[in-house]
Amino acid sequence: MEKNLLPEVEYRPWEKEQLDERSRMGTLMLAFNTTGKKEILEEAFGRKLDDVTILAPLHCNYGKHYVQFGHRVFINFNCTFQPAGGVEIGDDVFVGSDVRFYTTIHPLDPQERAEGKASVRPIKIGARVWIGGGAVILPGVEIGEGSTIGAGSVVTRSIPPRSVAVGNPCRVIKQV
């Protein structure tokens, strides 16, 4: 699982559907971050979150059909999801404060960026993963079941199951 094998697809952030979803989520995130009401998150993500705990503030620009939470998930405060490519979080996952999930890839060519070209890759977090505070998860990364990601790590490549991985860039330091 060393390479990022999850598919890359074109992303058009200025299409009406994308603009509408970001506007909807902006309104819902403001409401959730000022009240902490779970019902607002359920509307944002389109499902009951009975066994999911998400602490405010949360920053997320896409909701329904973009972020999937497993059972017994805990997301600590001040996390950021930019899930245009999709973020899937498995069961029994713990996410520390200030963790960021980014799925968008912007071109290196400045002209292409100016033209609004971009692509996305999904992020997949396996069951029973722990992600330490301040970690950054980049596009196309899959973190295998039972892994631990150290605080402050920048995860640029997929991590095999049952690994302890740390650093910038994040590297496996042992298997468990």
Side-chain angles (χ1 to χ4, degrees):
M1 216 190 294
E2 288 184 19
K3 294 183 180 178
N4 294 331
L5 300 177
L6 297 175
E8 182 174 333
V9 297
E10 189 174 336
Y11 170 55
R12 296 183 176 97
W14 306 117
E15 289 185 350
K16 183 175 179 357
E17 179 182 310
Q18 304 297 327
L19 293 168
D20 290 348
E21 178 63 3
R22 288 196 305 267
S23 176
R24 181 185 84 86
M25 285 299 287
T27 300
L28 291 170
M29 289 297 97
L30 180 61
F32 172 69
N33 290 337
T34 55
T35 67
K37 292 184 178 178
K38 186 174 266 190
E39 298 81 25
I40 297 167
L41 289 179
E42 291 174 343
E43 181 179 345
F45 296 113
R47 79 172 264 257
K48 291 297 260 178
L49 298 172
D50 293 331
D51 58 355
V52 174
T53 299
I54 301 174
L55 301 182
L58 175 69
H59 312 283
C60 186
N61 58 358
Y62 293 98
K64 289 181 187 176
H65 315 297
Y66 293 92
V67 181
Q68 298 175 9
F69 297 104
H71 298 285
R72 298 169 304 279
V73 170
F74 179 84
I75 309 287
N76 214 326
F77 68 88
N78 207 39
C79 286
T80 299
F81 288 82
Q82 292 189 341
V87 174
E88 180 182 329
I89 297 178
D91 295 341
D92 303 302
V93 170
F94 293 89
V95 176
S97 301
D98 301 302
V99 172
R100 295 169 301 275
F101 298 87
Y102 299 130
T103 64
T104 305
I105 303 163
H106 296 283
L108 297 177
D109 182 288
Q111 182 59 40
E112 289 181 5
R113 283 195 306 271
E115 294 168 2
K117 292 183 179 179
S119 59
V120 292
R121 274 201 165 130
I123 292 171
K124 184 174 182 180
I125 310 299
R128 295 176 296 285
V129 166
W130 174 23
I131 302 173
V136 177
I137 316 300
L138 294 180
V141 164
E142 183 172 354
I143 298 175
E145 171 270 323
S147 290
T148 299
I149 305 300
S153 294
V154 178
V155 186
T156 61
R157 294 189 176 269
S158 293
I159 303 296
R162 301 184 61 78
S163 298
V164 176
V166 300
N168 180 3
C170 191
R171 297 216 190 305
V172 174
I173 59 168
K174 72 178 186 177
Q175 297 295 126
V176 290

